[in-house]
Amino acid sequence: MPRSRRSLRLTLGGLLSLVALLAAASGAAADAKNLLVNPGFETGLEGHGWMPTGWDTSRAGTETVLFSRDQYSAHSGSVGGGIANASVGMPLWHNWSQTVPVTPDMWGKDAELTVWTRSNGVDGRGYVLLQAYRDTVGTMARKWKVPREVAGRRLGLAGVNDPLIDVGWKREPFTDRETDWVQRTLRLYVAPSTDYLIVRFGIFGSGQVMFDDASLTLGVAERPAPLPLRTNLLADPGFEQGALPWELSIPIYPGFTAEPDTRNPHSGTYCFHFNGEHGLVSGRAGVSQVIGNRSIAGKRIKFSAWCRSDSLRSQVFLTLYFHRRVGSNSEVSPDRVTGTMPWTQMTLEADVPPDTFEVWALLEYSAPVAGHAWFDDASLEILGPAKPAGKPTANRR
């Protein structure tokens, strides 16, 4: 009798294990569902000559860019999506995009984006971008079925009070002029508080890029890689590889220059040059990188770069932005480069708040204004744990 009871217990244990395995497999299968609508561009928008359902296009207001849905752009099936741009007179990022709502059960997982791309005569960079946003105004606009501006006014969050912020950002740029079909994959942590994901496939510069067979799925979050101490976390810190890992902030004005430059670099062969003085409104211009590794939270970091200027009528400075679960804040370097100054190193130290999901490191200045600004030899290092609360850090904006 005891033996049969033991056998029964083992049998029940085995059944419970089997049920757990089946449940896990079922959950994995559910996560593997493609979250994108019309991922192969196969279904056209009713009443429209070429627009695919589920997708949107960036607005350029120019006649130099062509969005297409045709057989030439197909990796599989009958059609794919393409973008061709014939002019770089204005610095614009042309892209297909799709927005995917995020529910709380998706928080804490990894989103994986794959897509096939093909380049044809690209002079600039094609790119695949996956973004995660916390956006109260946009979420309520969709719920109320009103324009975003209307929702912002209803909530009292219009204009500069809009709390829209990215809590995840991963871009893969590519510069090969001609390619066959290449599959590209991005993985991004879906941080708690995320309201939606945005998928973008685009081009910056001239030429043509085709996209097809996209997929966005959810999976178990990978543990963030450990970040070493006293090691530069920035890719291409001296702009020797064409600044491909850097995000570019460029005012949308004709004739504005933002490119690697071989004239008088601080070290190596290249630095990065900005110049442009004509425009109706002044904003921020510069280069930036995002550290999308949540293990940077609670660390003390040091951000530095060499900068120089020639007849510059604004100021170059460093900024660190901390995008957090319940807000964001920034630290700005006390040093400035302005007028005409030789290569000068600027440095900023700051503590990363414990609930930070990503850190943005920016080299920036106000533009468009008369004069030139150059950047080179940037560095972002972890010095150790953050200082105890109450001790001052860098100047706060």
Side-chain angles (χ1 to χ4, degrees), residues 360-378:
W360 282 88
L362 288 80
L363 313 175
E364 57 182 340
Y365 77 108
S366 298
V369 295
H372 302 258
W374 290 267
F375 308 134
D376 204 358
D377 295 330

Side-chain angles (χ1 to χ4, degrees), residues 112-387:
E112 183 173 276
L113 172 66
T114 63
V115 64
W116 289 86
T117 74
R118 182 160 67 97
S119 301
N120 180 26
V122 172
D123 185 6
R125 58 178 74 179
Y127 64 92
V128 175
L129 175 61
L130 179 57
Q131 301 162 298
Y133 280 96
R134 181 175 65 245
D135 181 12
T136 303
V137 176
T139 299
M140 296 310 298
R142 289 191 296 274
K143 182 177 180 179
W144 292 333
K145 297 181 180 180
V146 298
R148 199 173 190 284
E149 294 76 10
V150 174
R153 289 195 295 270
R154 286 185 186 179
L155 295 168
L157 297 174
V160 297
N161 295 319
D162 192 333
L164 170 68
I165 189 171
D166 62 275
V167 289
W169 186 289
K170 185 68 70 67
R171 187 196 299 269
E172 181 182 342
F174 44 94
T175 58
D176 293 332
R177 186 173 179 82
E178 306 279 346
T179 69
D180 199 349
W181 286 103
V182 178
Q183 188 177 39
R184 307 188 185 276
T185 301
L186 299 179
R187 195 173 182 95
L188 184 71
Y189 178 67
V190 183
S193 77
T194 300
D195 289 316
Y196 56 81
L197 301 172
I198 299 182
V199 169
R200 299 187 192 273
F201 307 144
I203 185 173
F204 179 79
S206 62
Q208 183 180 24
V209 184
M210 284 73 76
F211 306 92
D212 201 8
D213 297 330
S215 174
L216 180 66
T217 58
L218 293 177
V220 176
E222 296 179 349
R223 181 174 296 180
L227 298 174
L229 295 176
R230 303 286 181 174
T231 301
N232 194 352
L233 302 179
L234 300 178
D236 192 18
F239 306 101
E240 300 297 319
Q241 285 82 51
L244 203 60
W246 292 87
E247 298 287 336
L248 308 180
S249 299
I250 308 173
I252 307 175
Y253 297 125
F256 198 94
T257 299
E259 60 189 6
D261 190 352
T262 59
R263 293 171 292 178
N264 190 26
H266 175 256
S267 72
T269 304
Y270 291 95
C271 55
F272 205 90
H273 176 219
F274 278 87
N275 170 243
E277 59 181 286
H278 300 294
L280 296 176
V281 180
S282 180
R284 298 287 175 80
V287 294
S288 61
Q289 281 194 44
V290 57
I291 307 299
N293 185 323
R294 57 193 183 279
S295 66
I296 200 171
K299 303 292 194 300
R300 184 162 183 83
I301 59 176
K302 178 181 177 181
F303 180 32
S304 63
W306 290 84
C307 307
R308 73 178 177 96
S309 59
D310 183 359
S311 307
L312 185 65
R313 293 190 178 179
S314 68
Q315 299 179 330
V316 178
F317 50 93
L318 311 182
T319 308
L320 289 168
Y321 288 97
F322 308 109
H323 291 192
R324 307 164 55 192
R325 181 182 180 119
V326 292
S328 66
N329 60 288
S330 61
E331 302 281 356
V332 182
S333 63
D335 306 317
R336 296 290 191 274
V337 169
T338 186
T340 300
M341 293 178 61
W343 284 111
T344 303
Q345 188 179 37
M346 295 190 294
T347 301
L348 169 63
E349 289 190 20
D351 291 332
V352 182
D355 61 341
T356 298
F357 294 125
E358 61 178 19
V359 174
W360 282 88
L362 288 80
L363 313 175
E364 57 182 340
Y365 77 108
S366 298
V369 295
H372 302 258
W374 290 267
F375 308 134
D376 204 358
D377 295 330
S379 176
L380 180 68
E381 301 176 84
I382 296 178
L383 302 179
K387 292 184 176 180

